[in-house]
Amino acid sequence: MPTPVSKPTTALPVVVIGAGPVGLAAAAHLIDQGLEPLVLEAGPRAGTAVREWSHVRLFSAWAEVTDPAAEKLLAPTGWTRPDPASCPTGGEWADHYLQPLAEVLGDRIRYGARVTGVSRTGRDRIVDDGREAQPFVIHLAHPDGREERISARAVIDASGTWSAPGPAGGSGLPAIGERAAADRISYRVPDLADPAVRARYAGRRTAVIGTGASAFTALATLADLAGADDGAGTKTVWILRRGISGSTFGGGTADQLPARGALGLAAKAAVDQGHADAVTGFRTEAIERDDRGRLVLVAEDGRRLDPVDEIIALTGFRPDLSFLSEIRLGLDERLQAPVALAPLIDPNQHSCGTVYPHGHRELSHPEPDFYATGMKSYGRAPTFLALTGYEQVRSIAAALAGDTEAADRIELTLPETGVCGGSGLFDAPTPTDQQTAAGCCSEPEPLLPAPTPPATARDTACGTSGGGCS
């Protein structure tokens, strides 16, 4: 006879995986609901991943990248939000918001704690009997090689996707020879203020693969390098898997987000001024080396490009599901996002201006009390919303506290214009061009009918680096 189901003991903490923006916000909302969080961060401090793109400026302003429950925790310390209209760099976001919030959370965060597995105590994913009565068990690895196991009443995975960038290969798999050429390939926007990084690209021919905001940033910064005294001979080849259309570079001066419009214009200028040559319809199948050790990109259709010295592959990010093999996940077969969430964020149908606020129900899985949030919840979709990530964890915390009414209520208020995130020019001034109704992103051509928006949906605000609009 099946074992009666009862909930795991409430004395156990709710484990949050990741001390990034959404993970720390989750902890703040759990505390606000009277629940005890334990945040596990693989890195040495809060915002480890954000600090890796510290030179990149967000499109979102401070008003869109801080969480209300987090601000409530910070208020007694005398913390005040920076200028709400200004857009921080990743480094400023980490230093002026994430780190102070982490200090308030104190020993509720454990650093150097890499999660290697999540399951139910005494139950692998096959076993039904008594499953929901068992607490979660989380396996950890520490930098010194020590292993540890802890228990939790619920798990919120806010580990993001930064550690799993997409490959250069056009079929979704690494191109033949991509791994062998790893010493010449970067999957991040280069920080050309770093002398060693600058020397890597100055006077060299670089291929940039991708069409999102990160690719625009790379094109613009490499064009700036080409025009600098130490950048003579710097040249970029821009690899697009599709063609160039009127919407490729965004809304320009008509963009309701001036920072995003300026970035698109800077990328276009890089092409128009001859600093970057665009190659369209090119899906990389192989990366070879010539007799001088330079890299030759070969397309699926057999085209071969002239050799390059470096490759910057900016083709999006993917969720790391390896440590969740014993958790029962309900994922969309295309996006690797929760089944109920996927139709709301599918980039085949939606831009960042048409993604709707959502909560615990859309984020639920067949495994009760397990949730993936933030960029991790979006799987491969590039339209993550910073404010929506905060709304996700507010709803989840309320659901875990048993307040279903609050969990189901949409409490997100978003700017009508939308706020795109992603990587922006890190030191460019904000343009003052008049803003019209072009929207924050160009919307992809729909392949299927768009779903009907929830009754509570409002215009949306696009997220932060590592996602954003592509």
Side-chain angles (χ1 to χ4, degrees), residues 275-295:
H275 295 304
D277 295 327
V279 180
T280 60
F282 193 98
R283 295 180 177 273
T284 306
E285 182 176 76
I287 299 173
E288 302 174 353
R289 288 187 187 262
D290 67 6
D291 54 8
R292 296 173 52 193
R294 302 178 79 194
L295 304 180

Side-chain angles (χ1 to χ4, degrees), residues 55 189-206 218 220-235 309-310 312 426-427:
H55 59 294
V189 175
D191 180 4
L192 298 185
D194 182 322
V197 175
R198 192 175 183 86
R200 177 174 176 174
Y201 297 100
R204 305 291 182 88
R205 180 178 169 86
T206 299
T221 54
L222 289 170
D224 287 344
L225 176 59
D229 292 341
D230 61 342
T234 302
K235 187 71 175 180
D309 300 291
E310 301 285 342
I312 302 173
F426 114 82
D427 57 359

Side-chain angles (χ1 to χ4, degrees), residues 394-445:
R394 183 208 62 79
S395 174
I396 290 168
L400 291 175
D403 189 347
T404 304
E405 181 182 354
D408 288 341
R409 187 170 59 242
I410 296 296
E411 294 188 359
L412 181 59
T413 301
L414 295 164
E416 293 183 358
T417 57
V419 181
C420 278
S423 48
L425 293 174
F426 114 82
D427 57 359
T430 300
T432 57
D433 303 289
Q434 68 178 34
Q435 301 170 19
T436 62
C440 69
C441 304
S442 56
E443 185 163 351
E445 182 70 17

Side-chain angles (χ1 to χ4, degrees), residues 301-324:
D301 60 10
R303 281 182 291 167
R304 302 172 67 88
L305 300 184
D306 291 337
V308 298
D309 300 291
E310 301 285 342
I311 296 173
I312 302 173
L314 301 168
T315 60
F317 295 85
R318 302 172 173 188
D320 177 8
L321 304 173
S322 61
F323 61 88
L324 301 176

Side-chain angles (χ1 to χ4, degrees), residues 37-422:
L38 175 60
V39 182
L40 304 175
E41 167 58 45
R45 54 182 175 166
T48 297
V50 173
R51 295 176 190 278
E52 291 189 17
W53 48 270
S54 61
H55 59 294
V56 176
R57 188 173 297 281
L58 284 75
F59 291 133
S60 302
W62 274 110
E64 283 83 43
V65 296
T66 57
D67 173 79
E71 291 193 29
K72 182 178 176 181
L73 282 182
L74 285 164
T77 71
W79 180 89
T80 57
R81 182 201 294 166
D83 178 7
S86 67
C87 299
T89 63
E92 291 166 347
W93 198 19
D95 288 341
H96 301 311
Y97 171 64
L98 301 180
Q99 188 58 42
L101 178 55
E103 290 170 3
V104 170
L105 291 170
D107 59 9
R108 291 185 171 104
I109 306 176
R110 294 178 58 181
Y111 300 103
R114 181 176 298 279
V115 175
T116 58
V118 181
S119 187
R120 293 276 188 179
T121 301
R123 304 290 190 276
D124 61 25
R125 67 182 298 159
I126 298 175
V127 178
D128 291 330
D129 187 35
R131 185 177 190 84
E132 292 183 33
Q134 298 301 311
F136 287 92
V137 59
I138 296 95
H139 283 214
L140 308 177
H142 296 276
D144 60 3
R146 180 171 50 90
E147 294 182 305
E148 185 181 1
R149 181 173 61 189
I150 62 175
S151 297
R153 60 171 293 188
V155 176
I156 300 174
D157 181 1
S159 58
T161 58
W162 178 253
S163 64
S171 60
L173 299 172
I176 300 299
E178 183 171 345
R179 293 187 178 92
D183 61 319
R184 298 287 188 88
I185 303 176
S186 172
Y187 299 89
R188 307 286 189 257
V189 175
D191 180 4
L192 298 185
D194 182 322
V197 175
R198 192 175 183 86
R200 177 174 176 174
Y201 297 100
R204 305 291 182 88
R205 180 178 169 86
T206 299
V208 174
I209 304 174
T211 54
S214 294
F216 286 179
T217 304
L219 291 172
T221 54
L222 289 170
D224 287 344
L225 176 59
D229 292 341
D230 61 342
T234 302
K235 187 71 175 180
T236 304
V237 181
W238 182 25
I239 310 298
L240 297 88
R241 294 173 178 172
R242 300 181 181 179
I244 294 180
S245 68
S247 63
T248 296
F249 297 100
T253 57
D255 199 317
Q256 291 180 346
L257 291 166
R260 183 181 188 275
L263 179 56
L265 291 175
K268 187 176 187 301
V271 176
D272 292 344
Q273 295 170 8
H275 295 304
D277 295 327
V279 180
T280 60
F282 193 98
R283 295 180 177 273
T284 306
E285 182 176 76
I287 299 173
E288 302 174 353
R289 288 187 187 262
D290 67 6
D291 54 8
R292 296 173 52 193
R294 302 178 79 194
L295 304 180
V296 177
L297 281 76
V298 183
E300 293 174 353
D301 60 10
R303 281 182 291 167
R304 302 172 67 88
L305 300 184
D306 291 337
V308 298
D309 300 291
E310 301 285 342
I311 296 173
I312 302 173
L314 301 168
T315 60
F317 295 85
R318 302 172 173 188
D320 177 8
L321 304 173
S322 61
F323 61 88
L324 301 176
S325 61
E326 298 307 313
I327 291 295
R328 296 177 176 181
L329 301 176
L331 298 175
D332 177 76
E333 66 273 11
R334 291 176 300 165
L335 299 184
Q336 296 179 299
V339 171
L341 177 61
L344 302 180
I345 64 173
D346 187 346
N348 292 305
Q349 302 175 38
H350 295 287
S351 72
C352 60
T354 61
V355 173
Y356 314 118
H358 51 272
H360 72 112
R361 295 192 185 277
E362 293 86 354
L363 296 165
S364 64
H365 289 274
E367 195 76 68
D369 295 337
F370 173 87
Y371 301 93
T373 60
M375 277 299 301
K376 186 71 169 279
S377 71
Y378 272 50
R380 298 193 183 197
T383 49
F384 170 66
L385 320 173
L387 285 177
T388 303
Y390 297 151
E391 172 66 4
Q392 287 180 342
V393 293
R394 183 208 62 79
S395 174
I396 290 168
L400 291 175
D403 189 347
T404 304
E405 181 182 354
D408 288 341
R409 187 170 59 242
I410 296 296
E411 294 188 359
L412 181 59
T413 301
L414 295 164
E416 293 183 358
T417 57
V419 181
C420 278

